[in-house]
Amino acid sequence: MIDTNVDRRHDNSDKWAVTKDDDQLLPMTIADMDIATPQFIREAMQRVLNKKVLGYTTPSTGFYNAIIRWQKTHHDVSLKRDQLIIVPSIAVGLSFVIRNLTQKNDGIIVMSPYYPPYRQLVVDNQRQFVEFPLVQREGQYVIDFNRLDAVMADSQNKAIIVCNPHNPGGCVWTTTELQRLQDIANAHHVLVLADEIHDDVAFSDNLPVSMLSDLMGSEAASQTVLMKSATKAFNLAGVKCAFLAVKNPALLATLKHAAAAEAIEEVNTLGVVATQTAYEQGAQWLTEVNAYLEENRNLAYEYLRENIPMIRPMYPEGTYLMWLDFMAYDLSDDELDEKLRSLGHICLNRGIDYGQTGSGFMRLNFAVDRDVLKDALQRLKAFDTAVRKK
Ligand SMILES: Cc1ncc(COP(=O)(O)O)c(C=O)c1O
């Protein structure tokens, strides 16, 4: 059922665009998959095309029910239809929430390293970007809760973005960590913007808990806006369909009003069909894909640890992203990027783009055919051998 036989070189893929200048380069970058979007989703979209008209669409009850059922079954999140707001993407949704639930100059706390567009979405909306560095313990990121408490106690800071699983670190925050974070946020009246776009890519040793999960208790819901889509797990980033979920009636009313004012819920016909189909029919496919990704993760992690000890991988508890520490090579960020390309013929995402804490790191996307992953690991080995000879 998993189809890794895809050639994205000649379409408009962001990831593969680098090969137009250098066709020897292997990109292991942007967070989508070189795995075919499932056939049953493409067929559902085709059925819409076969009807020959792509006019205005209103999402059906079935669409909302698919989201509600998925979130309940897979994430223990109980939602009602009127608690959902449909948006084109998480980026658009996050910008919309920042603009409508915070004021100019408010501080938005962002754990660093961070998904790079967060900075732009905060700063270009004239809010303060309050970088909160994660701390490394035994090679994995942890949250320094004493510092977080101090940062949240600053009355200028009104919201925190919580990315779970974390991009780029691959961390799945534990229930205890999330509850602690929630308690501190509630105590200081800080809004929690929960970016859970990666939470369906889950491995057998670590299941992400949603900030809106019933497990988190009723308190959890009071200050949280959940942001989610089917796009990461089902490889649908181009269909532009995501949703916000809000339980607090006052926050919900503000956002519903703003959604009407901005006409933000105008939906993409094919995005709605793809999302509904993914959630209605995708559980089995996703189980298989996650098992495949888990094997890829294990293979890459073990290979690097055994064969290239100077590259220190963080263990991805979730996501298909591996965060690699290259500091042992003592190269600048520019040199590292250049040498990976020229000596290894491989392109990774530059860690420095994820904030200052990302300096010396690179991010590798392992959602690819296993042979391509093995090729990528050989290229990292070639880089390692060549750079150490010099
Ligand atoms: C953590 C995180 N949030 C949001 C996004 C972007 O989502 P969207 O394409 O829906 O804006 C990504 C994409 O890589 C991501 O990794």
Side-chain angles (χ1 to χ4, degrees), residues 65-347:
N65 285 347
I67 294 175
I68 291 166
R69 247 186 251 124
W70 184 271
Q71 286 299 109
K72 181 68 197 160
T73 313
H74 295 266
H75 301 288
D76 217 5
V77 175
S78 307
L79 292 170
K80 299 193 185 91
R81 175 179 171 153
D82 66 4
Q83 294 170 331
L84 296 172
I85 296 174
I86 310 306
V87 289
S89 68
I90 303 297
V92 173
L94 178 58
S95 178
F96 168 76
V97 172
I98 288 174
R99 271 183 288 109
N100 288 291
L101 294 184
T102 66
Q103 309 285 326
K104 287 208 172 127
N105 285 325
D106 281 356
I108 314 275
I109 305 163
V110 179
M111 295 182 203
S112 167
Y114 52 83
Y115 169 60
Y118 286 161
R119 177 181 279 278
Q120 175 197 334
L121 294 169
V122 170
V123 172
D124 288 355
N125 280 309
Q126 289 92 46
R127 272 61 174 172
Q128 304 296 325
F129 188 84
V130 181
E131 204 166 326
F132 178 80
L134 292 167
V135 181
Q136 274 197 62
R137 190 181 300 148
E138 291 165 17
Q140 298 294 115
Y141 283 129
V142 294
I143 299 167
D144 177 342
F145 281 101
N146 290 333
R147 270 201 71 203
L148 187 64
D149 188 44
V151 174
M152 287 204 193
D154 180 341
S155 60
Q156 182 73 24
N157 296 332
K158 302 291 193 211
I160 180 169
I161 300 176
V162 180
C163 183
N164 187 33
H166 181 260
N167 173 14
C171 338
V172 170
W173 305 119
T174 63
T175 315
T176 313
E177 285 170 316
L178 294 174
Q179 269 163 344
R180 207 158 160 200
L181 193 153
Q182 186 69 68
D183 289 345
I184 300 173
N186 281 352
H188 299 298
H189 308 290
V190 169
L191 195 64
V192 175
L193 311 179
D195 180 347
E196 298 180 0
I197 191 172
H198 288 281
D199 76 347
D200 287 316
V201 180
F203 305 134
S204 55
D205 51 359
N206 239 309
L207 296 179
V209 170
S210 171
M211 222 46 191
L212 270 194
S213 156
D214 296 343
L215 265 180
M216 297 284 293
S218 55
E219 277 290 288
S222 64
Q223 289 285 80
T224 300
V225 177
L226 170 67
M227 305 179 290
K228 166 106 198 231
S229 68
T231 57
K232 291 292 167 203
F234 294 95
N235 214 17
L236 295 168
V239 306
K240 298 293 150 205
C241 185
F243 61 90
L244 310 176
V246 191
K247 291 196 172 188
N248 175 320
L251 298 180
L252 182 62
T254 304
L255 289 181
K256 282 273 180 190
H257 183 75
E262 298 189 21
I264 205 164
E265 290 195 281
E266 303 243 322
V267 294
N268 176 319
T269 310
L270 293 174
V272 166
V273 170
T275 303
Q276 181 175 346
T277 311
Y279 286 154
E280 280 178 355
Q281 300 176 33
Q284 178 60 31
W285 184 89
L286 186 61
T287 303
E288 288 175 31
V289 166
N290 280 345
Y292 189 85
L293 294 173
E294 185 166 345
E295 273 186 52
N296 274 7
R297 174 198 63 181
N298 296 345
L299 176 102
Y301 186 77
E302 279 154 28
Y303 179 89
L304 290 170
R305 305 247 315 175
E306 276 167 28
N307 299 289
I308 322 181
M310 282 177 74
I311 304 178
R312 291 175 46 237
M314 229 172 237
Y315 182 72
E317 295 165 333
T319 76
Y320 35 74
L321 308 167
M322 193 174 282
W323 191 231
L324 307 174
D325 176 345
F326 282 81
M327 283 185 225
Y329 294 98
D330 204 18
L331 297 169
S332 72
D333 293 298
D334 285 344
E335 285 168 338
L336 176 58
D337 188 29
E338 190 282 315
K339 289 195 186 319
L340 282 165
R341 289 168 189 248
S342 62
L343 302 174
H345 304 287
I346 184 165
C347 179

